[in-house]
């Protein structure tokens, strides 16, 4: 594969190929790189082909061919491959009376059609081997780009004519008059990122193990969005799930399932699970036959489960020992109020010092104003990992309470009593803040 110099090396290769094609037919004509522009006659000289790299895109065939391979500890074992296609615009300048642009166009297209795979002699090489007559700066660039690895690619570089429609041409010539141009795609460029993978020891022996076990396929977890409940059970549906050795993995936690009719599994939540998004998998332990028979695990594809936290209770705690804080109510001389300490218990418990967010929405605002709302940050109590205490300045009122853990927010309760004045509206869990 090539290194980071490969894009420059491809551009230099195209320049060398075109320069060779026009040198004898149009003596004095040159090849330059850069965006198309209005050029004075002295810049054009006897003729000029301008090369402009206007688009770079991932190669659609090879973009995922070689992904990075890492060891169990995360160390890089094999470099990833960056597969690119380069889009070049070739613009032709010269004296119209002598039809120089048209001659250069014909020569360039003929050369690229006859030799779509450039040879090694066109690729950058040491200045000592440069073709006589090339500019000194071209020789210097070739010397810098030599050794980029372009000539050693497993997939040879090729140039292909690329049709351009009106929508692609307009942005290229929005600031200058149109110049006769064609586009070519250079494909495929394989670049290996910098960095040396950690060398691994060679394999001493390759064993073949045979097993008739079938890999489980997990299609759905029902329900997929679940408010936490210690006795909650999930139903897992898919193919080849049932097995005497089946285990259900919730990330690093696991639970033993029970087989259900139809091949599905029923499983309870594992002890220690926290609120958040979990990847659920079904794992089987299978036996293999071979030179040294052993057992191995077959795991299904993962399916996401969103476990919502549940607010058990929210209360205001009196704190008379706190000094009074400046009041936020408008008006000079307004009495100061102490900050409010709000204690919220929830389930399931979290690890000590886990960041939490309490969301408060005023339930019954006074007439003529918008309901108040607060987002209060806190951490779980290390002595009681299923509760959090937050101190803040909160205006008196009745507030709906939610808690957000690991990006997942608890639900609010809806009033289902048709005789209630708040029927079909949120009514809990809530806390009364007293001034």
């Amino acid at each position: 594969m090539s290194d980071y110099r490969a894009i420059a090396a491809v551009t230099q290769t195209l320049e060398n190929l075109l320069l060779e094609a026009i040198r004898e037919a149009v003596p004095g004509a040159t090849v330059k790189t850069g965006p198309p522009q209005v050029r004075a006659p002295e810049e054009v000289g006897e003729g000029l082909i301008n090369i402009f790299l206007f688009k770079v895109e991932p190669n659609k065939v090879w973009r995922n061919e070689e992904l990075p391979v890492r060891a169990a500890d995360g160390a890089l074992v094999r470099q990833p491959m960056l597969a690119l296609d380069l889009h070049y615009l070739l613009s032709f300048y010269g004296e119209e009376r002598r039809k120089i642009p048209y001659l250069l166009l014909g020569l360039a297209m003929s050369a690229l059609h006859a030799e779509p795979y450039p040879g090694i002699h066109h690729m950058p090489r040491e200045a000592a081997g440069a073709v006589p007559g090339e500019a000194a700066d071209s020789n210097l660039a070739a010397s810098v780009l030599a050794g980029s690895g372009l000539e050693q690619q497993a997939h040879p570089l090729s140039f292909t004519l690329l049709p351009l429609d009106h929508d692609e041409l307009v942005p290229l010539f929005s600031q200058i008059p149109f110049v006769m141009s064609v586009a070519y795609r250079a494909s495929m460029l394989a670049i290996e990122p910098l960095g040396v993978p950690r060398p691994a020891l060679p394999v001493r022996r390759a064993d073949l193990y045979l097993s008739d076990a079938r890999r489980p396929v997990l299609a759905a977890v029902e329900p997929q969005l679940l408010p936490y409940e210690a006795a909650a059970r999930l139903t897992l549906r898919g193919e080849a799930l049932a097995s005497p050795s089946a285990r259900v993995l919730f990330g690093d936690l696991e639970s033993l399932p029970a087989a259900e009719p139809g091949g599905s599994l029923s499983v309870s939540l594992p002890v220690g699970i926290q609120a958040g998004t979990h990847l659920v998998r079904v794992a089987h332990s299978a036996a293999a036959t071979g030179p040294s028979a052993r057992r191995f695990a077959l795991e299904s594809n993962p399916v996401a489960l969103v476990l919502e936290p549940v607010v058990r209770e929210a209360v205001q705690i009196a704190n008379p020992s706190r000094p009074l804080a400046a009041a936020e109510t408008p008006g000079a001389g307004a009495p100061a109020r102490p900050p409010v300490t709000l204690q919220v218990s929830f389930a399931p418990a979290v690890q000590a010092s886990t960041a939490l967010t309490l969301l408060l929405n005023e339930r019954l605002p006074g007439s003529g104003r918008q309901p108040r709302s607060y987002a209060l940050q806190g951490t779980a109590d290390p002595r009681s990992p299923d509760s959090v205490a937050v101190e803040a300045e909160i205006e008196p009122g009745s507030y709906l309470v939610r808690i957000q853990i690991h990006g997942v927010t608890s639900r609010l309760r809806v009033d289902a009593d048709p005789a209630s004045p708040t029927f079909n509206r949120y009514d809990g869990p809530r806390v009364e803040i007293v001034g």
Side-chain angles (χ1 to χ4, degrees):
M1 286 188 285
S2 308
D3 62 15
Y4 67 97
R5 297 172 291 179
I7 296 177
V10 172
T11 306
Q12 183 68 46
T13 299
L14 180 57
E15 184 176 349
N16 293 342
L17 194 154
L18 294 176
L19 193 60
E20 181 183 81
I22 66 175
R23 181 179 287 114
E24 295 183 2
V26 186
T30 58
V31 180
K32 293 185 178 180
T33 59
Q37 55 186 286
V38 177
R39 294 187 180 272
E42 56 270 19
E43 292 183 273
V44 173
E46 293 299 314
L48 172 65
I49 301 178
N50 189 84
I51 301 174
F52 176 48
L53 176 60
F54 69 94
K55 185 178 181 181
V56 179
E57 64 179 5
N59 182 273
K60 296 179 176 61
V61 177
W62 295 99
R63 66 185 303 175
N64 294 325
E65 175 68 13
E66 196 167 333
L67 297 175
V69 176
R70 297 184 181 274
D73 60 356
L76 188 64
V77 175
R78 188 184 70 185
Q79 288 276 26
M81 179 180 71
L82 176 62
L84 298 176
D85 287 344
L86 310 180
H87 293 199
Y88 288 97
L89 185 74
L90 308 184
S91 301
F92 304 90
Y93 299 81
E95 188 179 347
E96 283 285 340
R97 184 177 60 84
R98 295 165 54 198
K99 302 296 186 288
I100 296 298
Y102 304 93
L103 294 175
L104 296 178
L105 173 63
L107 289 168
M109 295 187 69
S110 297
L112 291 173
H113 182 73
E115 198 169 2
Y117 298 95
I120 294 179
H121 64 284
H122 290 128
M123 296 180 182
R125 53 204 182 280
E126 296 296 338
V131 177
E134 288 189 354
D137 56 349
S138 296
N139 291 345
L140 178 60
S143 179
V144 172
L145 300 177
S148 65
L150 183 62
E151 71 282 359
Q152 298 174 357
Q153 284 193 166
H155 313 286
L157 178 70
S158 66
F159 293 103
T160 309
L161 182 64
L162 186 67
L164 285 179
D165 58 26
H166 179 268
D167 292 338
E168 291 176 298
L169 281 172
V170 167
L172 294 172
F173 295 98
S174 60
Q175 304 297 323
I176 63 171
F178 176 76
V179 180
M180 185 184 344
S181 304
V182 292
Y184 277 82
R185 177 175 56 229
S187 179
M188 177 270 305
L189 184 59
I191 298 179
E192 182 176 6
L194 293 175
V196 179
R198 186 181 68 181
L201 293 174
V203 177
R204 293 179 57 195
R205 185 184 70 188
D207 292 338
L208 176 63
Y209 296 95
L210 303 177
S211 173
D212 59 356
R214 182 182 174 189
R215 182 172 181 262
V217 177
L218 185 56
V221 175
E222 301 173 355
Q224 197 168 13
L225 186 63
L226 175 68
Y228 174 77
E229 199 174 320
R233 291 192 69 83
L234 302 171
T235 300
L236 279 57
R237 304 189 188 280
E239 299 177 10
L241 298 181
S243 169
S245 63
R247 297 169 293 130
V248 179
L249 307 179
F250 296 80
D252 296 332
L253 304 175
E254 67 176 57
S255 183
L256 296 178
E260 297 287 336
S264 60
L265 299 179
S266 175
V267 66
S268 58
L269 296 175
V271 176
I273 194 169
Q274 299 185 44
T277 302
H278 301 271
L279 294 180
V280 181
R281 292 162 294 153
V282 176
H284 293 173
S285 178
T289 57
S292 55
R294 62 187 180 92
R295 300 190 67 81
F296 61 97
L298 284 174
E299 292 187 3
S300 72
N301 56 296
V303 173
L305 165 70
V306 179
L307 185 62
E308 300 174 349
V310 175
V311 173
R312 299 296 194 201
E313 184 182 26
V315 295
Q316 177 185 352
I317 300 177
N319 194 1
S321 62
R322 287 278 304 179
L324 295 180
E328 288 187 335
T329 52
R337 293 185 293 101
V340 171
T341 300
L342 186 62
Q343 179 90 33
V344 177
S345 60
F346 56 88
V350 297
Q351 294 179 351
S353 302
T354 299
L356 312 170
T357 303
L358 291 181
L359 305 176
L360 305 182
N361 294 87
E362 193 173 13
R363 179 169 168 263
L364 300 171
S367 59
R369 65 173 176 82
Q370 293 294 321
R372 300 185 181 96
S373 61
Y374 301 88
L376 310 176
Q377 305 297 323
T379 56
D381 188 342
R383 297 165 300 178
S384 179
D386 60 352
S387 68
V388 59
V390 176
E391 187 176 84
E393 294 183 356
I394 305 174
E395 294 294 329
S398 177
Y399 291 89
L400 298 170
V401 182
R402 289 173 293 162
I403 190 167
Q404 189 176 82
I405 303 174
H406 297 150
V408 180
T409 307
S410 62
R411 296 188 188 186
L412 293 174
R413 185 175 61 245
V414 177
D415 189 351
D417 183 4
S420 172
T422 58
F423 172 62
N424 211 27
R425 295 171 60 184
Y426 292 127
D427 72 337
R430 64 177 184 263
V431 63
E432 304 296 330
I433 303 298
V434 180

